[in-house]
Amino acid sequence: MTHIDIVPLTIISGFLGSGKTSLLNHLLTQSAGRRITAMVNDFGALNIDAELIAAKHGNQITLANGCVCCSIGDDLMRSFMEVMQQSPLPDHIIIEASGVAEPSRIAGFASVDRQLRLDGIVTLVDAGAHNVHSNDPYLADNYAKQIEAAHLLLISKPDLADAATLENLQNELAAQKPNVPIAQMTHGMLPIDLVLGLNAAEEIRQPHDVIEHGFMQWATHLPPQPRATLIAKLENLRPHVLRAKAVLQDDEGAYVLHLAGGRISTEPHEGVASGHFVLIGKPQMPDATALEKIFRQNEAA
Amino acid sequence: MNPHLPHATHIAVRDGHILGVGTAENIDGWQKAWGPLALNRDFADKTLLPGFIEGHSHMMEGMFWDYHYVGYYDREGPDGTVWPGLKSIDEVVDKLKEIQANRKDKDMPLIAWGFDPIFFTDRRMNAADLDSVATDCSVIVLHASLHILNANNFVMEAADVKGADNSEFIRRDESGQATGEFLGQLGYYMAMRTTGINLLAIASSPETLVNFANVARQTGVTTATDLVNPMPAGSENAMRQAVDADDFPMRLVVAFQGNSMEPAEGVARMQELQTSNSDKLRFSLVKMVADGSIQGFSARLKWPHYFNGAPNGLWYIEPERLGDYLKAFTEAGIQVHVHTNGDECTEVTLDKIEEALRAHPWPDHRHTLQHCQMATRAHFKRMKALGVGVNLFSNHLYYWGDAHINITMGPERAARLDDAGGALAEGVPLAIHSDAPVTALAPLFTAWCAVNRLSSSGITLGNGTQNISVEEALYAITMGAAYSLKMESEIGSLEAGKRADIAILADDPIEVGAEKLKDIIVIGTMVGGQVHINQGRSA
Ligand SMILES: [Zn+2]
């Protein structure tokens, strides 16, 4: 069989008003060359700047950065058919699930389509409304299922909850999903590499991480270096690092390195290595100067 | 069915409308003003009823006729060809082998439909059955319920079916092996992706619409609904062209899919669609879907939920958003039909309708609950108070009655399933439906279901208070449905001034009685004065 493209699928789940649209908006502006197709309930709410829109046809909007938004219009199957019949296929699909959707059911599309792979279910939890939602007479079971299905939990609007509430919420979520990272999100502002690339399909479980307010993100270009060296450096930083991605060169050729879900993996890269390197970590991660020092050395620190 | 004249011997038709009904003498007088009326005795020994109205069907019913029918009962295609019923899984497999042996393009996907496992209790169809038909092309058998399909191993390999925790849509045997049965939307998605056949596109084509009308016509239907259509921009033109054609044998009411766009845009689109209304085509209402199905365990039930302990079902829309849509359409004076199956969903929907009506009072809104299968007397009382009508899914009693008694609802609650008697007793305007193609489209069969409440294994659901009389059932499939579509002044009864839409039957349903209601032969229909005779029947 010849090479077939496999598109990673990210599902953003969460109740009405939990901030899914803000997050999606933010992700689309950081696509950095990735052609993301976003399947959304409503264009209007996305609030895309008119100057960013390159074209609009029926239920599709093409953005100047190559991303596409298409409206689901209550028919997910039809939307998947439309998106998966496009050529070329997108680099990544993000679905903004409806507030009552069961994300694990949406993920089912990936399990019957050779060209789809579940990258991750990201569930948003509204810090101020958690108690209301988890006691809603009609929706509480649905709410619990969304949290249960998550590969990444994002607490939205942390600024609207007091410190004690926030801490309780974090503890509650951590107890319920001990293997899933929990992060806080304000106005959808999150680094895209934290949200995409979860590789959920590989059933990765990662140690429990509660991420406090704020992230450290460091992006740079690195000279060629052996993958073993890079891995060793990352292993040392592991307690503070959440995600890493590198496209580098060594004696064996170009390679891609991922640190996701607590696991480091490498695979050969087709084409030229860009030297691109991204590191996302907790506030306790060493600062940029220190990181420069670590990663520009040729020996493991 | 006209209260001031329930029975008549003669009917006069002019310009697509009924000029008069009554005795020969009553009719005679019209000749002074309208000129001579020719007496047609073609149907002198037949029974004429108001044309039947199917208040909840889908034009998708017409899409399958390009594929191979493998259902249990004989079925007549839109062209009048009779497809014989197949009485065992082996007969179905043999039929598919024969088709495969005789067709030219043996590599093309082989698709069959109408398979109904309800009749085969000894075992279920599996991938090996279909592998015996072909191993080097897709073989797919769609079930009559449209909730399930069977596939051969070729399809499963092409789809690269993977994952272990997806029992919701892949049926597995004890050893964890996929049996070849796929449930729900994902089965269809897999079928379309592996065969390259876009069933969704076919489902909305004009050819499908014409097939649908011809299948409906054969059962005495003169007006049917396509009860949810997203109506993409401009699609009304092709639809109008198909339906307005002289030989299109039916009126069609299309329900616009409410949440295919935001509330305000939906209102505007609906107002635009209404400018395309014609004598035969109507865009008069909006459909919203609030939960799933009982047999799919996706209906939202009140405590104590499912009889077998399955987790509660799914909301198909946030109740809050349903409320927003109901408010917007109510404010704009647009009637909404809401699909609710479980009793929790019915209750929440009534809450949302009540909120909309408090914000935008509208005395004759006639919002209607579709399916509404688990409504209690308390719900019917509320519906009466709010002016909400109901269209019950009476065919369910027969198709899934046994499953509801044993698996989904338990005997006590299954007794009130599709409680037509309760609805009438509480004064709620009643229609009954097939939801074709989910169950067979045939209003006399639907009426039989509501009258007899028999499951396919012959068990009676309820204690008799839920049953309705033959007269009440006939009213439900004519005036009841017309009322739910706000068309009761045009169609639904035979009286002077209304449209000349007639069902022509071999026998009088009242004389035939409850037990044999479904067996009455339909000779044909008249739609707007034009007669359509069924294949093999004579006037
Ligand atoms: Zn339906």
Side-chain angles (χ1 to χ4, degrees):
Chain A
M1 179 174 276
T2 51
H3 171 78
I4 61 163
D5 289 322
I6 296 177
V7 186
L9 168 69
T10 295
I11 300 164
I12 301 179
S13 149
F15 269 30
L16 271 182
S18 62
K20 290 174 293 190
T21 309
S22 311
L23 174 60
L24 186 58
N25 248 332
H26 195 69
L27 296 177
L28 288 175
T29 59
Q30 320 172 58
S31 66
R34 258 180 285 216
R35 291 171 306 108
I36 297 171
T37 289
M39 290 158 64
V40 302
N41 281 306
D42 172 22
F43 289 147
L46 260 179
N47 240 326
I48 302 164
D49 259 339
E51 63 220 50
L52 292 180
I53 296 177
K56 192 172 175 183
H57 295 287
N59 64 344
Q60 283 210 344
I61 294 176
T62 306
L63 307 185
N65 65 4
C67 293
V68 174
C69 296
C70 66
S71 94
I72 298 171
D74 195 39
D75 196 340
L76 205 52
M77 176 164 64
R78 190 181 296 270
S79 305
F80 267 115
M81 284 298 287
E82 281 169 13
V83 171
M84 292 307 290
Q85 284 178 336
Q86 284 171 356
S87 178
L89 286 168
D91 296 329
H92 203 114
I93 296 175
I94 305 178
I95 293 184
E96 180 200 12
S98 101
V100 285
E102 278 186 18
S104 58
R105 293 202 181 220
I106 298 176
F109 279 95
S111 59
V112 294
D113 190 332
R114 180 179 284 279
Q115 291 187 276
L116 275 174
R117 169 177 70 74
L118 179 64
D119 183 52
I121 295 170
V122 179
T123 299
L124 276 61
V125 174
D126 184 332
H130 174 70
N131 280 336
V132 176
H133 290 159
S134 48
N135 292 302
D136 188 296
Y138 305 121
L139 301 172
D141 57 330
N142 202 245
Y143 187 65
K145 283 179 192 166
Q146 293 182 356
I147 292 173
E148 186 52 41
H151 303 103
L152 171 66
L153 282 165
L154 297 177
I155 297 174
S156 62
K157 307 178 189 168
D159 46 327
L160 299 182
D162 59 63
T165 308
L166 210 51
E167 196 183 331
N168 283 341
L169 173 56
Q170 265 176 350
N171 292 340
E172 196 183 320
L173 293 176
Q176 195 182 337
K177 297 295 289 175
N179 296 320
V180 164
I182 303 167
Q184 294 178 6
M185 168 186 108
T186 308
H187 307 306
M189 309 285 261
L190 279 183
I192 191 167
D193 289 313
L194 183 72
V195 179
L196 307 191
L198 294 170
N199 274 313
E202 291 169 21
E203 283 300 312
I204 297 165
R205 297 289 166 192
Q206 67 181 40
H208 168 229
D209 277 313
V210 171
I211 306 161
E212 313 294 332
H213 239 107
F215 299 92
M216 282 280 299
Q217 181 173 0
W218 185 60
T220 187
H221 280 80
L222 291 179
Q225 51 187 303
R227 49 197 88 182
T229 310
L230 190 62
I231 289 171
K233 290 172 182 173
L234 284 168
E235 288 288 1
N236 281 338
L237 284 173
R238 175 73 75 86
H240 308 308
V241 175
L242 295 162
R243 297 293 312 280
K245 185 181 176 184
V247 186
L248 293 186
Q249 183 79 32
D250 66 8
D251 295 345
E252 295 168 47
Y255 66 95
V256 186
L257 175 142
H258 284 282
L259 187 160
R263 205 180 68 176
I264 299 172
S265 63
T266 59
E267 57 188 74
H269 175 72
E270 286 172 33
V272 185
S274 59
H276 188 65
F277 182 57
V278 187
L279 204 56
I280 300 168
K282 302 179 196 175
Q284 298 91 326
M285 187 166 83
D287 65 14
T289 323
L291 290 173
E292 281 282 343
K293 229 173 163 177
I294 295 167
F295 284 98
R296 295 209 181 274
Q297 280 172 6
N298 269 333
E299 293 306 313
Chain B
M1 226 115 17
N2 162 8
H4 61 263
L5 185 64
H7 299 282
T9 54
H10 289 67
I11 184 163
V13 171
R14 266 293 166 92
D15 301 337
H17 289 74
I18 295 166
L19 185 59
V21 185
T23 59
E25 261 184 330
N26 298 150
I27 302 284
D28 264 353
W30 285 107
Q31 300 190 88
K32 280 193 215 104
W34 287 81
L37 294 163
L39 182 65
N40 180 330
R41 305 189 55 88
D42 284 353
F43 307 114
D45 62 340
K46 305 289 188 280
T47 300
L48 304 189
L49 250 60
F52 300 145
I53 301 169
E54 175 47 272
H56 186 154
S57 54
H58 301 273
M59 66 177 268
M60 205 206 297
E61 166 79 17
M63 79 177 281
F64 298 109
W65 293 99
D66 286 340
Y67 305 112
H68 307 279
Y69 174 73
V70 292
Y72 185 81
Y73 291 115
D74 293 357
R75 195 129 173 199
E76 204 171 320
D79 59 355
T81 310
V82 174
W83 294 73
L86 303 171
K87 307 298 184 189
S88 69
I89 290 178
D90 291 342
E91 272 189 42
V92 171
V93 172
D94 287 345
K95 176 79 187 177
L96 293 173
K97 283 181 184 163
E98 181 193 317
I99 293 164
Q100 176 67 357
N102 294 331
R103 67 187 189 138
K104 266 203 304 251
D105 298 322
K106 295 196 197 304
D107 299 335
M108 295 293 284
L110 177 59
I111 297 181
W113 64 281
F115 177 70
D116 203 341
I118 198 173
F119 299 108
F120 311 125
T121 48
D122 53 328
R123 70 180 187 91
R124 296 192 72 91
M125 180 181 275
N126 57 40
D129 287 319
L130 300 185
D131 283 348
S132 77
V133 175
T135 52
D136 44 13
C137 74
S138 305
V139 181
I140 290 167
V141 175
L142 311 175
H143 290 212
S145 70
L146 295 187
H147 278 285
I148 306 177
L149 61 80
N150 275 85
N152 65 349
N153 270 305
F154 184 90
V155 173
M156 290 197 276
E157 274 158 34
D160 190 17
V161 172
K162 53 209 170 218
D165 58 346
N166 38 27
S167 55
E168 295 135 357
F169 61 90
I170 299 178
R171 193 160 276 162
R172 292 175 188 277
D173 60 22
E174 300 84 55
S175 65
Q177 223 24 38
T179 64
E181 266 189 70
F182 292 85
L183 283 66
Q185 270 204 330
L186 288 175
Y188 277 80
Y189 178 69
M190 178 190 69
M192 291 193 288
R193 288 281 291 148
T194 54
T195 60
I197 296 172
N198 191 337
L199 295 169
L200 294 167
I202 300 170
S204 56
S205 70
E207 294 75 26
T208 293
L209 190 52
V210 171
N211 282 345
F212 169 49
N214 277 307
V215 169
R217 169 186 71 69
Q218 293 173 24
T219 68
V221 169
T222 53
T223 298
T225 42
D226 181 27
L227 211 74
V228 75
N229 193 315
M231 294 306 298
S235 59
E236 61 269 36
N237 299 326
M239 198 171 243
R240 176 84 192 261
Q241 211 174 359
V243 176
D244 281 354
D246 281 341
D247 55 355
F248 189 87
M250 195 179 76
R251 293 180 212 287
L252 180 72
V253 179
V254 179
F256 171 66
Q257 183 184 339
N259 56 337
S260 59
M261 45 185 81
E262 289 303 293
E265 294 167 35
V267 167
R269 176 64 178 142
M270 198 53 209
Q271 285 160 345
E272 179 183 45
L273 283 170
Q274 284 176 334
T275 64
S276 287
N277 284 349
S278 70
D279 283 354
K280 278 162 78 185
L281 178 63
R282 295 296 162 87
F283 298 97
S284 52
L285 54 102
V286 162
K287 165 96 174 281
M288 304 290 300
V289 178
D291 71 347
S293 71
I294 305 174
Q295 74 277 17
F297 298 101
S298 50
R300 286 295 303 194
L301 296 179
K302 292 178 73 165
W303 190 89
H305 311 306
Y306 285 98
F307 192 50
N308 69 347
N312 204 354
L314 304 175
W315 293 102
Y316 280 29
I317 184 169
E318 299 90 335
E320 193 183 329
R321 268 169 68 83
L322 175 64
D324 294 343
Y325 280 102
L326 279 163
K327 281 199 187 104
F329 289 120
T330 301
E331 184 179 17
I334 295 167
Q335 188 193 11
V336 184
H337 284 211
V338 186
H339 159 130
T340 78
N341 261 315
D343 48 4
E344 181 180 69
C345 183
T346 293
E347 196 157 299
V348 169
T349 302
L350 288 173
D351 290 347
K352 296 301 168 190
I353 290 175
E354 187 170 341
E355 280 169 26
L357 291 172
R358 288 164 74 110
H360 308 289
W362 180 10
D364 193 19
H365 56 85
R366 249 180 262 185
H367 295 329
T368 298
L369 301 190
Q370 291 283 349
H371 301 332
C372 198
Q373 300 200 76
M374 290 311 300
T376 61
R377 285 290 184 113
H379 294 137
F380 287 131
K381 283 186 206 295
R382 259 188 100 189
M383 290 166 73
K384 164 74 175 167
L386 291 168
V388 170
V390 72
N391 189 343
L392 295 174
F393 195 168
S394 298
N395 285 20
H396 237 266
L397 294 160
Y398 178 78
Y399 281 88
W400 288 284
D402 296 312
H404 295 322
I405 291 168
N406 299 316
I407 304 168
T408 64
M409 288 295 126
E412 183 196 340
R413 288 180 302 170
R416 70 160 202 263
L417 187 83
D418 293 292
D419 185 0
L424 289 183
E426 300 297 345
V428 179
L430 171 74
I432 53 180
H433 68 264
S434 69
D435 200 15
V438 176
T439 70
L441 197 168
L444 284 172
F445 173 75
T446 304
W448 177 88
C449 291
V451 168
N452 296 289
R453 297 183 62 85
L454 280 173
S455 74
S456 58
S457 77
I459 294 173
T460 306
L461 283 88
N463 64 354
T465 63
Q466 302 83 4
N467 301 47
I468 56 175
S469 68
V470 173
E471 287 86 346
E472 286 166 336
L474 293 175
Y475 189 90
I477 59 173
T478 53
M479 279 304 277
Y483 186 83
S484 76
L485 302 173
K486 294 200 168 183
M487 291 178 79
E488 75 281 6
S489 67
E490 263 182 78
I491 56 173
S493 63
L494 301 179
E495 53 187 299
K498 288 183 102 167
R499 297 193 182 277
D501 290 2
I502 300 175
I504 307 164
L505 308 181
D507 297 290
D508 179 351
I510 306 287
E511 278 170 27
V512 167
E515 220 172 292
K516 297 217 149 55
L517 195 54
K518 68 178 167 55
D519 304 321
I520 294 172
I521 290 167
V522 177
I523 303 294
T525 58
M526 175 186 276
V527 177
Q530 204 174 321
V531 174
H532 307 273
I533 298 296
N534 285 348
Q535 196 88 16
R537 310 284 174 208
S538 55

